[in-house]
Amino acid sequence: MMGRKAVNLILLVALCGIAAVGWTVQSDPSKPNDVFLPNMVESVPYDAFAENPNYADGKTLQQPPDGAIPRGAVRLHYSTGTEEAKRAGQELRNPFLLTDTEAVRRGSVIYSRYCGVCHGGTGKGDGPVAMRGFPPPPAFTDAKSLAMTDGELFHMLTYGGENMPSYATQVSQEDRWKAILFVHIIQQKELAAAAAAAAAAAQAPAPLPSPAAAPPAQ
Ligand code: HEC
């Protein structure tokens, strides 16, 4: 059996050991602690914005080569203006169909994020931005909007119009086509609602004569 003194000595040594470890481990949260196997903490490759001696300009992030386009993107050979919009209208086709529910669903997400602020939820041109002084766009059910082909609409979203800004940097080409599908869904809904309202108005009974027209009570 170990004597009581020996046990106390062992406990004292252990206490001193713990105190020493506690003292070496920093309690200042603004400074990093000692790290075991630091290669797991520090990145071996160059960080995106770190200096890099391997390139002439000393940067890790390099400019893409001239003429590079994002993956999946199609190079567009158009410029701004109505003539170019007409040419896009003849040459470009929407790669997605209105029957593609997944594409329409994605189009509705894009529309509510980027387009409704000006065009409004039902495409009447009454979004909050248009209500606060921005030149309001025409309703999607205007004859001019209905006559525009998908290619012309794509040109409008890509290069902008008279007042409509370009959405080429914010919305990918695929998503632009899908947003156009959703514009068609809005057009269909609004036209159907207008037709139903017109039919209801035609069927409504003639208004009753107003009380003022009745002979005064005796
Ligand atoms: C900052 C406001 C604004 C935003 C945001 C906006 N538009 Fe427009 N849009 C306009 C204006 C204004 C017009 C009218 C044509 C013009 O002035 O160029 C227009 C025209 C259009 C037209 C053709 C209608 C016509 O008769 O000219 C379509 C379709 C359209 N926008 C769809 C979209 C889609 C889809 C988005 C989202 C990706 C979008 N717009 C985002 C302002 C906006």
Coordinates of all heavy atoms in Angstrom, one line a residue, residues 74-78 84-95 149-156 158-159 173 176-177 180:
V74 N -24.0 30.2 -74.1 CA -23.9 30.3 -75.5 C -23.4 31.7 -75.9 O -23.9 32.6 -75.3 CB -25.2 30.0 -76.2 CG1 -25.1 30.1 -77.7 CG2 -25.7 28.6 -75.8
R75 N -22.4 31.8 -76.7 CA -21.9 33.1 -77.1 C -22.9 33.8 -77.9 O -23.5 33.2 -78.9 CB -20.6 32.9 -77.9 CG -19.9 34.2 -78.2 CD -18.5 34.1 -77.5 NE -18.1 35.5 -77.3 CZ -16.8 35.9 -77.5 NH1 -15.9 35.0 -77.9 NH2 -16.5 37.1 -77.2
L76 N -23.2 35.0 -77.6 CA -24.2 35.8 -78.3 C -23.6 36.9 -79.1 O -22.7 37.5 -78.7 CB -25.2 36.5 -77.3 CG -26.0 35.6 -76.4 CD1 -26.7 36.3 -75.3 CD2 -27.0 34.8 -77.2
H77 N -24.0 36.9 -80.4 CA -23.4 37.9 -81.3 C -24.4 39.0 -81.6 O -24.8 39.2 -82.8 CB -22.9 37.2 -82.6 CG -21.9 36.1 -82.3 ND1 -20.6 36.4 -82.1 CD2 -22.0 34.8 -82.1 CE1 -19.9 35.3 -81.9 NE2 -20.8 34.3 -81.9
Y78 N -24.8 39.7 -80.6 CA -25.7 40.8 -80.8 C -25.2 42.0 -80.1 O -24.3 42.0 -79.3 CB -27.1 40.4 -80.2 CG -27.7 39.2 -80.9 CD1 -27.6 37.9 -80.3 CD2 -28.4 39.3 -82.1 CE1 -28.2 36.8 -80.9 CE2 -29.0 38.2 -82.7 CZ -28.8 37.0 -82.1 OH -29.4 35.9 -82.7
E84 N -31.2 44.9 -83.7 CA -30.6 43.8 -83.2 C -31.6 42.9 -82.4 O -31.6 41.7 -82.4 CB -29.5 44.2 -82.2 CG -28.2 44.7 -83.0 CD -27.5 43.6 -83.7 OE1 -26.7 42.9 -83.1 OE2 -27.7 43.5 -84.9
A85 N -32.6 43.6 -81.8 CA -33.6 42.8 -81.1 C -34.5 42.0 -82.1 O -34.8 40.9 -81.8 CB -34.5 43.8 -80.3
K86 N -34.7 42.6 -83.2 CA -35.5 42.0 -84.3 C -34.7 40.7 -84.8 O -35.3 39.7 -85.0 CB -35.8 42.9 -85.4 CG -37.1 43.6 -85.4 CD -37.5 44.3 -86.7 CE -38.3 45.5 -86.4 NZ -38.0 46.6 -87.2
R87 N -33.4 40.9 -85.0 CA -32.6 39.8 -85.5 C -32.6 38.7 -84.5 O -32.8 37.5 -84.8 CB -31.2 40.4 -85.7 CG -30.3 39.4 -86.5 CD -29.1 40.1 -87.0 NE -28.1 40.5 -86.0 CZ -27.2 39.7 -85.5 NH1 -27.1 38.5 -85.9 NH2 -26.3 40.1 -84.6
A88 N -32.5 39.0 -83.2 CA -32.5 38.0 -82.1 C -33.8 37.3 -82.2 O -33.9 36.1 -82.0 CB -32.2 38.6 -80.8
G89 N -34.9 38.1 -82.4 CA -36.2 37.5 -82.5 C -36.4 36.4 -83.6 O -37.1 35.5 -83.4
Q90 N -35.7 36.7 -84.7 CA -35.7 35.7 -85.8 C -34.8 34.5 -85.6 O -35.1 33.4 -86.0 CB -35.4 36.4 -87.1 CG -36.5 37.3 -87.6 CD -36.0 38.3 -88.6 OE1 -34.8 38.4 -88.9 NE2 -36.9 39.2 -89.0
E91 N -33.7 34.7 -84.9 CA -32.7 33.7 -84.9 C -32.7 32.8 -83.6 O -32.3 31.7 -83.6 CB -31.3 34.3 -85.0 CG -31.0 35.0 -86.3 CD -29.7 35.8 -86.3 OE1 -29.1 35.9 -85.3 OE2 -29.4 36.3 -87.4
L92 N -33.2 33.4 -82.5 CA -33.1 32.6 -81.2 C -34.5 32.0 -80.9 O -35.5 32.5 -81.1 CB -32.7 33.6 -80.1 CG -31.4 34.2 -80.2 CD1 -31.1 35.2 -79.0 CD2 -30.3 33.2 -80.3
R93 N -34.4 30.8 -80.4 CA -35.6 30.0 -79.9 C -35.4 29.7 -78.4 O -34.3 29.4 -78.0 CB -35.7 28.7 -80.7 CG -35.9 28.8 -82.2 CD -37.4 29.0 -82.5 NE -37.6 29.3 -83.9 CZ -37.4 30.6 -84.4 NH1 -37.1 31.5 -83.6 NH2 -37.6 30.8 -85.6
N94 N -36.5 29.7 -77.7 CA -36.5 29.3 -76.3 C -36.2 27.8 -76.2 O -37.0 27.0 -76.7 CB -37.8 29.7 -75.6 CG -37.7 29.7 -74.1 OD1 -36.9 29.0 -73.6 ND2 -38.5 30.5 -73.5
P95 N -35.1 27.4 -75.6 CA -34.8 26.0 -75.5 C -35.7 25.3 -74.5 O -35.7 24.0 -74.5 CB -33.4 26.0 -74.9 CG -33.2 27.3 -74.3 CD -34.1 28.3 -74.9
T149 N -41.6 38.1 -79.8 CA -41.2 36.7 -79.8 C -40.2 36.5 -78.6 O -39.7 37.4 -78.0 CB -40.4 36.3 -81.1 OG1 -39.2 37.1 -81.1 CG2 -41.3 36.6 -82.3
D150 N -40.0 35.2 -78.3 CA -39.1 34.9 -77.2 C -37.7 35.4 -77.4 O -37.1 35.8 -76.5 CB -39.1 33.4 -76.9 CG -40.3 32.9 -76.1 OD1 -41.3 33.7 -76.1 OD2 -40.3 31.8 -75.6
G151 N -37.3 35.4 -78.7 CA -36.0 35.9 -79.0 C -35.8 37.4 -78.7 O -34.8 37.8 -78.2
E152 N -36.9 38.1 -79.0 CA -36.9 39.6 -78.7 C -36.9 39.8 -77.2 O -36.2 40.7 -76.7 CB -38.1 40.2 -79.4 CG -38.0 40.4 -80.9 CD -39.3 41.0 -81.4 OE1 -40.2 40.1 -81.7 OE2 -39.4 42.2 -81.6
L153 N -37.7 39.0 -76.5 CA -37.7 39.1 -75.1 C -36.4 38.8 -74.5 O -35.9 39.5 -73.6 CB -38.8 38.2 -74.5 CG -40.2 38.5 -74.8 CD1 -41.2 37.5 -74.2 CD2 -40.6 39.9 -74.4
F154 N -35.7 37.8 -75.0 CA -34.4 37.4 -74.5 C -33.4 38.5 -74.8 O -32.6 38.8 -73.9 CB -33.9 36.1 -75.2 CG -32.6 35.6 -74.7 CD1 -32.6 34.8 -73.6 CD2 -31.4 35.8 -75.4 CE1 -31.4 34.3 -73.1 CE2 -30.2 35.3 -74.9 CZ -30.2 34.6 -73.8
H155 N -33.5 39.1 -75.9 CA -32.7 40.3 -76.2 C -32.9 41.4 -75.2 O -31.9 42.0 -74.7 CB -32.9 40.8 -77.7 CG -32.0 41.9 -78.1 ND1 -32.2 43.2 -77.8 CD2 -30.8 41.8 -78.8 CE1 -31.2 43.9 -78.3 NE2 -30.4 43.1 -78.9
M156 N -34.2 41.7 -74.9 CA -34.5 42.7 -73.9 C -33.9 42.4 -72.6 O -33.3 43.3 -71.9 CB -36.0 42.8 -73.8 CG -36.6 43.6 -72.7 SD -37.0 45.3 -73.0 CE -38.4 45.2 -73.9
T158 N -31.3 40.6 -72.0 CA -29.9 40.5 -72.1 C -29.2 41.8 -72.3 O -28.2 42.1 -71.7 CB -29.5 39.5 -73.2 OG1 -30.2 38.3 -73.0 CG2 -28.0 39.3 -73.2
Y159 N -29.8 42.6 -73.1 CA -29.2 43.9 -73.5 C -29.9 45.1 -72.9 O -29.5 46.2 -73.0 CB -29.0 44.1 -75.0 CG -28.1 43.0 -75.6 CD1 -28.7 41.8 -76.1 CD2 -26.8 43.1 -75.5 CE1 -27.9 40.8 -76.6 CE2 -26.0 42.1 -76.1 CZ -26.5 41.0 -76.6 OH -25.7 40.0 -77.1
Q173 N -28.2 32.8 -68.7 CA -29.0 32.6 -70.0 C -30.1 31.7 -69.8 O -31.3 32.0 -70.2 CB -28.1 32.1 -71.1 CG -27.0 33.1 -71.5 CD -26.2 32.7 -72.7 OE1 -26.4 31.7 -73.3 NE2 -25.2 33.5 -73.1
R176 N -32.9 33.2 -67.9 CA -33.6 34.3 -68.6 C -34.7 33.6 -69.5 O -35.8 34.1 -69.5 CB -32.6 35.0 -69.5 CG -32.0 36.2 -68.8 CD -30.9 36.8 -69.7 NE -29.6 36.5 -69.2 CZ -28.5 36.5 -69.9 NH1 -28.5 36.8 -71.2 NH2 -27.3 36.1 -69.4
W177 N -34.3 32.5 -70.1 CA -35.3 31.8 -70.9 C -36.5 31.3 -70.1 O -37.7 31.4 -70.4 CB -34.7 30.6 -71.7 CG -33.8 30.9 -72.8 CD1 -32.5 30.7 -72.9 CD2 -34.2 31.6 -74.0 NE1 -32.0 31.1 -74.1 CE2 -33.0 31.7 -74.8 CE3 -35.4 32.2 -74.5 CZ2 -33.0 32.3 -76.1 CZ3 -35.4 32.8 -75.8 CH2 -34.2 32.8 -76.5
I180 N -38.8 34.0 -69.1 CA -39.7 34.4 -70.2 C -40.9 33.4 -70.3 O -42.0 33.8 -70.5 CB -38.9 34.3 -71.6 CG1 -37.9 35.5 -71.6 CG2 -39.8 34.4 -72.8 CD1 -36.9 35.4 -72.7

